[in-house]
Amino acid sequence: MLKEVAAQIAGSAGPANPGDLRTLDRAAAWRSLAQSGLLALRTRDGGSPAGSGVEVAVVAEALGAGLVPVPYLGSAVLATELLALAGAHDEAEVLAEGGSRTGVLLDGDLSALAVLPGDETVYGWDVDGADGALALTGVRGGYQVVRVSLETGFVPVPGADLTRTLLRSDGPVGAASPTPVGSPLSAEDLWRWEALALTAIAADTVGVMRAAVARAVAYSKERVQYGVLIGSFQAVQHMCAEAYVQAEASASAVNYAAWAVDELEPAEALLAARTAKAQCASVAREVTETVMQVFGGIGQTYEHIAHVHTRRALTDRQVLGDEGVQLLRIADVRLTGE
């Protein structure tokens, strides 16, 4: 039922072509997510999240498949989980109701949650409609969640992903500007947050890839070249089959990571999430660009939807670290136990 609800919302809120991104009613899509309870999956009532990592992954995959241009990952997952772990449950509940939005700040290459104050420019990712974003600052024995206003000092910048808003600070964010939120986080809290964040982003990537492959396969059953369907060409069959296998392998890794978020110890959950993110990041570009090739000339044009899949997948690949970042950290764990 959750899959059906998420898919129904995604089907009505996603673009059929790039031009739709200028006219879609994003506020209505956000209200639908709030009314269905999908924004509240990681809020706490009595200590445990309302929804598991598996349920978050189901919704993230559906919205990725639909290329839905609302900040579900940035606000309902990454920011809400950070607030909940910090004990700021009232603020997390406000986000779940859909009345306001809060995003997260990432470092200069989008590979990690920003730690303030710093010497580099930071980015607000997936912050459509948000008036603030969360980051970290170091305190004795851990990290403190802080809120930074996005109303001044940040400017919109073009990103590869056409479905998400990206803001850049006009300089380093100073120590005086952030406002502390909740209680300090331990290392284990941050591992748990990162496990969910990586898994949700990977699930979004799986949705993007699966939907792109499905579009390509459907097209191969309709498009005629040289008097026959292009799906009868062995080269096209091999391209689609390989893309399908890569997308499904990624889905399997994400399924395990999504279960691990709440069922394993934080370190083990994070290892599973890194594995899933590495798998998805390593094939996202190849799968989505293969789909563009199957569509032929029309697939290379701005007016076609294929490149929107590729652009979203490329940004998902970068956020919180691509396969290179994840594999190095997995190697650190395997070799040193840290």
Side-chain angles (χ1 to χ4, degrees), residues 243-311:
Y244 176 81
V245 168
Q246 290 173 326
E248 293 308 304
S250 300
S252 293
V254 169
N255 288 343
Y256 176 71
W259 168 83
V261 165
D262 298 305
E263 298 298 329
L264 298 184
E265 292 300 315
E268 287 298 316
L270 181 54
L271 184 61
R274 291 199 188 285
T275 303
K277 185 62 158 61
Q279 166 63 26
C280 291
S282 67
V283 302
R285 176 175 177 173
E286 182 178 350
V287 168
T288 53
E289 288 189 349
T290 292
V291 168
M292 292 177 70
Q293 292 299 318
V294 171
F295 278 106
I298 190 66
Q300 316 309 310
T301 66
Y302 185 87
E303 290 76 12
H304 198 271
I305 195 67
H307 72 93
V308 183
H309 287 272
T310 303
R311 286 166 175 259

Side-chain angles (χ1 to χ4, degrees), residues 92-106:
E93 290 287 350
V94 170
L95 295 187
E97 293 169 359
S100 66
R101 306 179 195 178
T102 296
V104 293
L105 292 182
L106 303 179

Side-chain angles (χ1 to χ4, degrees), residues 106-182:
L106 303 179
D107 62 12
D109 61 1
L110 308 185
S111 65
L113 192 61
V115 179
L116 307 176
D119 297 327
E120 63 179 6
T121 295
V122 296
Y123 289 85
W125 172 75
D126 202 19
V127 291
D128 184 49
D131 56 7
L134 305 178
L136 300 175
T137 188
V139 296
R140 184 184 298 274
Y143 288 93
Q144 174 69 51
V145 177
V146 294
R147 181 190 301 279
V148 176
S149 172
L150 297 177
E151 296 180 350
T152 59
F154 285 82
V155 294
V157 291
D161 187 355
L162 299 178
T163 64
R164 293 193 176 112
T165 299
L166 185 67
L167 301 180
R168 182 183 65 208
S169 64
D170 55 13
V173 178
S177 132
T179 303
V181 179

Side-chain angles (χ1 to χ4, degrees), residues 173-201:
V173 178
S177 132
T179 303
V181 179
S183 303
L185 301 177
S186 65
E188 288 77 12
D189 290 329
L190 287 177
W191 292 347
R192 186 72 77 189
W193 177 84
E194 192 170 5
L196 178 69
L198 289 171
T199 299
I201 295 166

